[in-house]
Amino acid sequence: MLREEHKQFLQSLQQRQEVQAVLVLPDHVKVPPFYERAGYLVVVNGAQNQAGVRQVITEEKVIWEQKVSAWELEKGLVQGLDEKLVTWLQRGEVLWDKDDFIYRLRQRLSKLPESLQKRMLFKEYSRLLHAFQETRDYLQEGMVLDAYHALLKALYVWAKWIVFRAGEQPESALWTQVKNLDPSVYKLYEELTLNHEELEKRIELILLPMDFFLSSRLKESVRYLLEVMETRTSPWKLHELAEHTAIGESGIELSLLIEKMVQRSLVCETICMNTDDQQSREIGYIPSK
């Protein structure tokens, strides 16, 4: 149903041929930057660079318009959607929807594809490992505030891992999701941010269960990487893995992750002869049998 005070704006959208669907957020759902004023998600057909935010004044009222292309949403279902867009799609009120595009999108969004789930578990685990190591390094150097910032980042990534493992897409209100899915991790977040104990002590206490998680969930989380490595029998050099299309686009730092996989005997190190320079040798990696 059209909002009466925004009728002129919405009617102008309906007249635009490229508009595929329009959604509005209920008043109780807030997504940045749409806090104080009404916000609309406008899905358009066209090139991938259609995304953008603009402010529109109509009848002396200011409206936020968030535009996104249908192509970008389709891509997100395969590669992962931004948390704010997930909130729009799952909680927004559909004002109109050509060819049931949003209806079909929501059906697909309700079930996370296994291929995307494996990829995102791998991505978030590798980010968590990096943030965990960064936190420990800062702490050892006595840089407590930097360690706190890194640990907050680590907890946020851990929370996303939990949501993906549950077969859901992370929303902008991420900790509300995690409170229902894994109260113990939510409790750790509360301990870090709300507890009045000495900050360094809080950080040290949270690193312990995080370290256990990283060890116990390694094999499950790197299944995506192992499947890539199993596509050939010859060893993989580190730069080859980093440049692989299935991995490179994620911007993952592999060195720390591979090192942990070697320690846990998930992959084996071997020596590769450099064909350009017979005197130069490079370490390669193959999945363990």
Side-chain angles (χ1 to χ4, degrees):
M1 185 175 181
L2 299 185
R3 293 194 174 188
E4 192 65 33
E5 65 269 31
H6 304 150
K7 204 168 188 178
Q8 182 180 351
F9 166 73
L10 294 169
Q11 286 175 344
S12 70
L13 289 178
Q14 282 182 311
Q15 294 170 8
R16 286 160 51 183
Q17 291 296 316
E18 78 275 15
V19 174
Q20 181 74 34
V22 178
L23 295 86
V24 62
L25 282 178
D27 292 336
H28 68 280
V29 179
K30 302 299 180 185
V31 174
F34 313 97
Y35 288 121
E36 303 298 332
R37 298 186 174 98
Y40 292 86
L41 181 69
V42 180
V43 181
V44 298
N45 289 314
Q48 62 188 71
N49 59 351
Q50 291 290 316
V53 180
R54 68 173 186 147
Q55 286 181 295
V56 180
I57 298 179
T58 175
E59 297 178 358
E60 299 184 352
K61 294 183 180 296
V62 178
I63 300 170
W64 286 91
E65 177 187 313
Q66 169 75 61
K67 188 165 65 172
V68 64
S69 71
W71 181 92
E72 196 70 30
L73 295 178
E74 291 283 357
K75 177 185 174 184
L77 288 176
V78 177
Q79 298 186 2
L81 279 166
D82 175 81
E83 294 95 271
K84 289 183 284 188
L85 279 177
V86 173
T87 303
W88 273 107
L89 294 172
Q90 292 189 330
R91 300 182 182 274
E93 175 190 349
V94 180
L95 298 182
W96 70 83
D97 183 12
K98 291 181 184 176
D99 306 318
D100 293 326
F101 176 79
I102 297 298
Y103 173 77
R104 289 183 282 107
L105 200 72
R106 281 178 167 175
Q107 285 187 315
R108 294 164 62 191
L109 192 62
S110 65
K111 183 174 176 56
L112 195 68
E114 184 182 2
S115 58
L116 177 59
Q117 185 182 45
K118 285 190 293 187
R119 178 176 180 172
M120 299 312 292
L121 289 181
F122 163 64
K123 178 180 178 179
E124 302 304 340
Y125 179 92
S126 64
R127 293 175 64 202
L128 174 57
L129 180 62
H130 185 269
F132 170 80
Q133 186 62 51
E134 190 176 49
T135 304
R136 286 207 309 190
D137 290 344
Y138 281 137
L139 207 57
Q140 288 173 1
E141 294 294 326
M143 303 163 69
V144 179
L145 287 178
D146 293 292
Y148 173 77
H149 176 74
L151 187 55
L152 274 177
K153 182 170 61 176
L155 284 169
Y156 179 79
V157 173
W158 192 356
K160 290 182 69 175
W161 189 97
I162 289 166
V163 173
F164 281 122
R165 189 174 188 272
E168 299 179 12
Q169 292 266 14
E171 296 184 32
S172 55
L174 179 63
W175 286 108
T176 301
Q177 278 182 287
V178 173
K179 186 176 183 179
N180 296 322
L181 295 172
D182 194 330
S184 63
V185 174
Y186 179 82
K187 185 67 176 176
L188 291 176
Y189 175 70
E190 281 192 324
E191 286 292 320
L192 180 63
T193 56
L194 302 179
N195 196 314
H196 296 298
E197 197 171 3
E198 182 185 354
L199 181 56
E200 185 172 354
K201 187 66 174 177
R202 278 183 273 159
I203 295 171
E204 289 173 345
L205 290 174
I206 291 172
L207 285 177
L208 293 174
M210 188 174 288
D211 191 17
F212 176 78
F213 170 86
L214 286 167
S215 296
S216 61
R217 297 296 187 180
L218 173 63
K219 187 174 183 179
E220 175 184 2
S221 300
V222 300
R223 188 161 51 124
Y224 180 83
L225 176 60
L226 289 172
E227 289 178 0
V228 170
M229 297 179 73
E230 288 167 357
T231 58
R232 77 183 200 195
T233 56
S234 58
W236 290 84
K237 298 173 184 176
L238 197 58
H239 74 87
E240 291 177 326
L241 283 173
E243 293 167 2
H244 192 283
T245 53
I247 298 170
E249 294 177 357
S250 301
I252 291 169
E253 186 178 320
L254 283 173
S255 55
L256 189 62
L257 183 61
I258 290 290
E259 182 181 338
K260 192 170 185 67
M261 292 171 69
V262 170
Q263 292 171 354
R264 295 294 299 276
S265 301
L266 292 179
V267 296
C268 299
E269 290 182 340
T270 186
I271 300 298
C272 301
M273 186 68 72
N274 193 323
T275 54
D276 298 326
D277 180 3
Q278 295 297 320
Q279 302 301 315
S280 175
R281 296 184 177 186
E282 190 172 349
I283 295 175
Y285 303 92
I286 54 175
S288 301
K289 299 298 183 183

